[in-house]
Amino acid sequence: MEAAVARPQRQLVRLRGRSYVAFVFVPTVPIVDWLQEIDATIARSPGFFVGRPVVVDLSSVDLSQSGITHLLASLQERNIRVLGIEGVEEARLTAVMPPLLSGGRTCAIEQNAPKKAEPKIDLKPTSLLLENPVRSGQTVIFPDGDVTILGSVGSGAEVVAGGSIHIYGALRGRAMAGVNGHSTARIYCQKIEAELLAIDGFYQTADDIDAALRGRPAQAWLQGNSMRITALN
């Protein structure tokens, strides 16, 4: 009698969900002028979009399939990598274009599910305190409220907050506050040497900041649709 041969069990593919932060571009007509604004941003902050995922929202323009192809090619020439497209009919996209996306939320980060389903009160923090400096190349993202950093933010580092940003040292990198649409958010730092400041999508790069403010305590806030940066007394 032959021994039964055990069949190898097929291993299931393990799928995991993970979310990332992407820039959303919203082109406006004329596209040529809009691309010139992109060029001006790149000129002020070279390499800012390199290696960063970008989603193109076409809901504000009416582009044909050839128009979309030309727009994507123009962004590719500027080393801008498009992760996906939204705000357009799927029939206008070709198989070689980035996929059609939907349901995106502003800077939403998926939290890890608890190991045990136990009823408890939601005590999600509304502020984040960092006692150590944020070094070059590091990114801090906290979409739920304010971020306070007791040290400095190095060149090439990023701090992204849903609320205000408080830096008790030098700000040499990028600070983006109010990313969830909070236009009343502010940015404070003890020494402003920033590469970029942004509040609710409105931004200024290093070249836009008054040279008289550099190296001094400063604050930034929105006044209408423009950002103001003044000395902090």
Side-chain angles (χ1 to χ4, degrees), residues 9-38:
Q9 292 185 346
R10 185 179 63 181
Q11 185 159 2
L12 299 177
V13 177
R14 188 176 186 182
L15 302 178
R16 293 183 177 181
R18 187 170 296 170
S19 59
Y20 296 89
V21 175
F23 287 109
V24 178
F25 282 8
V26 185
T28 57
V29 292
I31 296 295
V32 173
D33 293 348
W34 181 80
L35 287 172
Q36 288 178 351
E37 291 295 326
I38 297 295

Side-chain angles (χ1 to χ4, degrees), residues 14-194:
R14 188 176 186 182
L15 302 178
R16 293 183 177 181
R18 187 170 296 170
S19 59
Y20 296 89
V21 175
F23 287 109
V24 178
F25 282 8
V26 185
T28 57
V29 292
I31 296 295
V32 173
D33 293 348
W34 181 80
L35 287 172
Q36 288 178 351
E37 291 295 326
I38 297 295
D39 290 336
T41 300
I42 294 174
R44 290 193 298 263
S45 185
F48 181 67
F49 297 114
V50 175
R52 297 174 180 273
V54 169
V55 173
V56 177
D57 182 356
L58 299 177
S59 59
S60 297
V61 294
D62 184 15
L63 297 180
S64 63
Q65 190 175 88
S66 61
I68 297 173
T69 300
H70 183 267
L71 173 62
L72 295 175
S74 298
L75 294 175
Q76 180 66 35
E77 291 173 358
R78 292 162 172 79
N79 293 322
I80 296 175
R81 181 175 300 175
V82 178
L83 174 72
I85 301 174
E86 63 181 12
V88 67
E89 297 175 357
E90 188 172 7
R92 297 195 187 186
L93 305 182
T94 66
V96 297
M97 290 181 181
L100 183 66
L101 303 178
S102 63
R105 294 180 296 171
T106 303
C107 199
I109 297 179
E110 187 174 343
Q111 304 293 330
N112 294 329
K115 295 181 179 180
K116 295 182 180 180
E118 298 178 354
K120 60 180 181 179
I121 300 175
D122 184 7
L123 297 177
K124 178 183 279 190
T126 56
S127 63
L128 174 67
L129 172 65
L130 298 178
E131 298 183 358
N132 297 320
V134 182
R135 304 189 184 281
S136 178
Q138 292 182 321
T139 298
V140 175
I141 302 174
F142 187 73
D144 299 317
D146 295 355
V147 173
T148 300
I149 300 170
L150 300 186
S152 298
V153 176
S155 176
E158 278 185 346
V159 180
V160 181
S164 297
I165 297 175
H166 308 257
I167 301 171
Y168 287 86
L171 170 56
R172 300 186 178 93
R174 302 162 183 154
M176 302 177 220
V179 295
N180 287 334
H182 297 298
S183 59
T184 58
R186 296 197 177 203
I187 299 173
Y188 304 90
C189 64
Q190 286 297 314
K191 188 176 182 181
I192 185 167
E193 298 175 353

